[in-house]
Amino acid sequence: KQEVTQIPAALSVPEGENLVLNCSFTDSAIYNLQWFRQDPGKGLTSLLLIQSSQREQTSGRLNASLDKSSGRSTLYIAASQPGDSATYLCAVRNSGGYQKVTFGIGTKLQVIP
Amino acid sequence: GAGVSQSPRYKVAKRGQDVALRCDPISGHVSLFWYQQALGQGPEFLTYFQNEAQLDKSGLPSDRFFAERPEGSVSTLKIQRTQQEDSAVYLCASSLGRLAWADSYEQYFGPGTRLTVT
């Protein structure tokens, strides 16, 4: 059974810092990995999708990497802003069947002005 | 057009009542997913539809949970005889992809329905 772990569970940083969120998964047989953002009381907003054959994806100040063999992904946020404050979720789409997706618990990020 | 929509956004039910939660996916999206997100947790997979076919319902926690997508578009998640442990946010997502073994399309999520069972 796929398990997804995110570290740290919570993170508080001053505005302007660069930061890294970590995601690890136990079964490396995945199709893709997706990073989401969730604001309180809201649904999930997709940030980046990395296919299993890719090693990284970039969008603006966000960069996500994937090391499938070791079961790890990182989300790098450059020059953090207070508007980045949210919970960041990592999700893997498992292979070997239908499109079951397994989520981590998330990292709650607070960027202090 | 619009993204994934869900209704109602909030639902309060007394224990034992039946509830029905609706999901309108993005037009043309083949795949539809339901997730349950308890407070402070990540979403947990409930069930998956490809068009009108329910191909995976392994995540449904009990036989009180039932989902359908009769015409391959709108989906309804029904919970019978609600219990307090059913209190959670129920998220719906849709994806363009067709073939599970070749598809790598991303999922688009709705805002969720927050169910509170008293």
Side-chain angles (χ1 to χ4, degrees):
Chain A
K1 178 186 173 184
Q2 178 75 272
E3 293 182 4
V4 178
T5 303
Q6 290 189 246
I7 295 173
L11 183 62
S12 183
V13 300
E15 181 177 3
E17 269 203 12
N18 302 324
L19 56 99
V20 175
L21 308 181
N22 296 292
C23 171
S24 62
F25 44 96
T26 55
D27 185 351
S28 61
I30 65 170
Y31 280 126
N32 62 38
L33 182 145
Q34 198 166 353
W35 283 93
F36 293 89
R37 168 187 174 135
Q38 187 171 33
D39 293 282
K42 302 287 181 63
L44 278 66
T45 301
S46 178
L47 298 174
L48 290 165
L49 172 71
I50 311 177
Q51 310 291 1
S52 62
S53 58
Q54 297 175 323
R55 294 196 62 86
E56 67 177 328
Q57 281 286 334
T58 298
S59 175
R61 295 182 294 108
L62 305 179
N63 175 276
S65 68
L66 174 64
D67 184 342
K68 197 174 78 164
S69 61
S70 67
R72 296 185 182 190
S73 176
T74 61
L75 178 66
Y76 176 83
I77 304 176
S80 58
Q81 303 171 357
D84 295 331
S85 298
T87 296
Y88 290 81
L89 293 158
C90 164
V92 297
R93 179 170 297 182
N94 307 316
S95 63
Y98 295 107
Q99 302 181 32
K100 189 167 181 175
V101 173
T102 305
F103 280 83
I105 289 177
T107 294
K108 187 172 183 179
L109 172 66
Q110 182 182 24
V111 180
I112 303 168
Chain B
V4 179
S5 61
Q6 292 186 245
S7 61
R9 291 293 314 279
Y10 303 91
K11 177 69 179 178
V12 179
K14 291 186 177 179
R15 196 174 78 171
Q17 281 186 333
D18 297 349
V19 298
L21 312 180
R22 177 187 169 109
C23 172
D24 286 79
I26 294 173
S27 178
H29 277 198
V30 168
S31 297
L32 186 145
F33 310 78
W34 283 99
Y35 295 87
Q36 180 190 59
Q37 186 175 24
L39 189 64
Q41 301 295 314
E44 294 276 345
F45 171 85
L46 293 177
T47 187
Y48 161 64
F49 289 87
Q50 189 176 97
N51 295 309
E52 69 279 2
Q54 188 177 21
L55 299 183
D56 188 342
K57 53 182 181 179
S58 62
L60 296 177
S62 78
D63 58 8
R64 296 186 294 104
F65 286 70
F66 172 77
E68 60 182 6
R69 193 186 185 197
E71 297 179 356
S73 55
V74 172
S75 177
T76 303
L77 176 67
K78 297 179 180 178
I79 309 173
Q80 297 176 325
R81 305 180 303 281
T82 52
Q83 303 294 316
Q84 284 191 319
E85 61 263 28
D86 299 335
S87 296
V89 175
Y90 291 85
L91 295 165
C92 174
S94 70
S95 173
L96 183 60
R98 296 177 178 272
L99 299 175
W101 51 92
D103 167 56
S104 298
Y105 292 100
E106 63 185 288
Q107 296 188 17
Y108 295 87
F109 280 77
T113 294
R114 181 176 296 277
L115 172 65
T116 303
V117 181
T118 61

